[in-house]
Amino acid sequence: MVDLMSLLRDVLVCSLQVWMLNDFGKNMFPYRVEPLWKRIGVYFAAALCIFIANHMGTTLFNIAIIPASYTIAAIIIFQ
C-alpha cells in the first residue's frame, strides 16, 4: 500500500517537471495559449498523465507516455 507522503512527493515531482518544461519553453518560444488558467489546465493534465504513467509500474508504458505528454503539452502551449 502506498502511503500519503510518497503520493504527495510524487505529485510534487511531477508538478516540478512540468514547471521546468514551462520555464525552459518560455525563454525560447512565445505562448500560444494566453490566459493563465488555460495554461494551468494543460499543465495539470500533463502532470496527471506523468503521475499515472509513473504509478502504472510498467517501464515500457512509462517510456512511451512521458515524452509524449511533454511533447503534446509543449505543442499546445508554445508556438
Side-chain angles (χ1 to χ4, degrees), residues 2-78:
V2 179
D3 61 357
L4 186 61
M5 288 306 288
S6 68
L7 282 177
L8 181 63
R9 183 196 69 216
D10 292 344
V11 167
L12 289 175
V13 167
C14 293
S15 301
L16 179 66
Q17 289 174 351
V18 172
W19 178 69
M20 288 186 333
L21 173 70
N22 178 46
D23 193 45
F24 178 71
K26 75 178 182 180
N27 293 323
M28 293 187 295
F29 306 111
Y31 287 123
R32 178 182 302 187
V33 178
E34 280 303 319
L36 178 65
W37 62 272
K38 286 184 181 180
R39 285 193 306 246
I40 289 172
V42 172
Y43 288 139
F44 177 75
L48 186 65
C49 288
I50 293 168
F51 178 75
I52 291 171
N54 282 334
H55 281 274
M56 291 292 288
T58 307
T59 305
L60 186 61
F61 185 74
N62 199 353
I63 289 172
I65 294 299
I66 290 179
S69 64
Y70 284 146
T71 304
I72 291 170
I75 288 172
I76 291 173
I77 295 296
F78 301 110

